[in-house]
Structures are given as C-alpha cells and as structure tokens.
Amino acid sequence: FQNRWSLQYAFEYFDANGDGVLSLQEFKTALEALRSLPAPEGAKAQEKTTLMELTHEQVLRLVKALDRDGDGFIDYSEFLKALETRDILEP
C-alpha cells in the first residue's frame, strides 16, 4: 500500500497543472528529476554520466509506448502499468 501511495504522490508531483495526466513536458521534467538522482552504489563512471540521458526522439517513443489509449498523455493507470513490476513487489 505504501509503495502505491508513493507512486501516486510522485505522479501528482510531476502533474504540474493538476489535470490528472502527464503531458510530454511534464514527463520530460520527471525524467530530468530522475536523472539528477545519484547513481547506484558501484556504478561505473560511464554509467553515471549516461544514466537517463535520452534524446527527444527517445522520450517521444517512450511516451508513445506508455500512452496505451493514444491520447498523447500518460494517465495514472498507464503510469502504474509501466511500473507494474515494482508494484507487485508490495507486501
């Protein structure tokens, strides 16, 4: 339950205008925030510099892949679906 609450909080945090979906710009902002996180312990120097560095085209493809209903936005259920492997680890 706490993991799902954390995911909802993260989604709402990046939903800057509060419309319930992540636009391309909001999603890019989320990726940039993730990129600023420290690299995991033991990561090689090159891994640290390339972590989450995506081109604009890669971001567009990622949004398209996550946007299951094709409306151009990522809603909360699509966000959860993308993170499903983490969600099933909940106790």
Side-chain angles (χ1 to χ4, degrees), residues 3 22 26 31 36 39 46 51 55 59 65 85 89:
N3 187 36
L22 298 182
E26 289 168 331
L31 291 177
S36 69
Q46 185 174 4
L51 188 64
T55 66
V59 173
T85 53
L89 296 178

Side-chain angles (χ1 to χ4, degrees), residues 3 13-14 16 34 40 45-46 50 52 57 70 72 74 83 88-89:
N3 187 36
Y13 179 80
F14 290 113
L34 291 173
Q46 185 174 4
T50 59
M52 297 298 294
E57 180 61 33
I74 301 169
L83 300 173
I88 62 171
L89 296 178

Side-chain angles (χ1 to χ4, degrees), residues 15-79:
D15 179 17
N17 63 4
D19 63 356
V21 294
L22 298 182
S23 66
L24 174 62
Q25 187 55 50
E26 289 168 331
F27 187 70
K28 284 174 71 173
T29 299
L31 291 177
E32 288 173 15
L34 291 173
R35 203 169 110 194
S36 69
L37 294 174
E41 282 281 320
K44 298 175 184 170
Q46 185 174 4
E47 290 173 340
K48 290 180 182 181
T49 60
T50 59
L51 188 64
M52 297 298 294
E53 287 186 19
L54 301 174
T55 66
H56 180 71
E57 180 61 33
Q58 289 171 318
V59 173
L60 288 174
R61 286 197 320 250
L62 185 54
V63 168
K64 187 174 181 179
L66 297 176
D67 177 23
R68 294 177 177 261
D69 63 9
D71 66 356
F73 299 95
I74 301 169
D75 64 32
Y76 184 62
S77 64
E78 292 166 334
F79 179 76

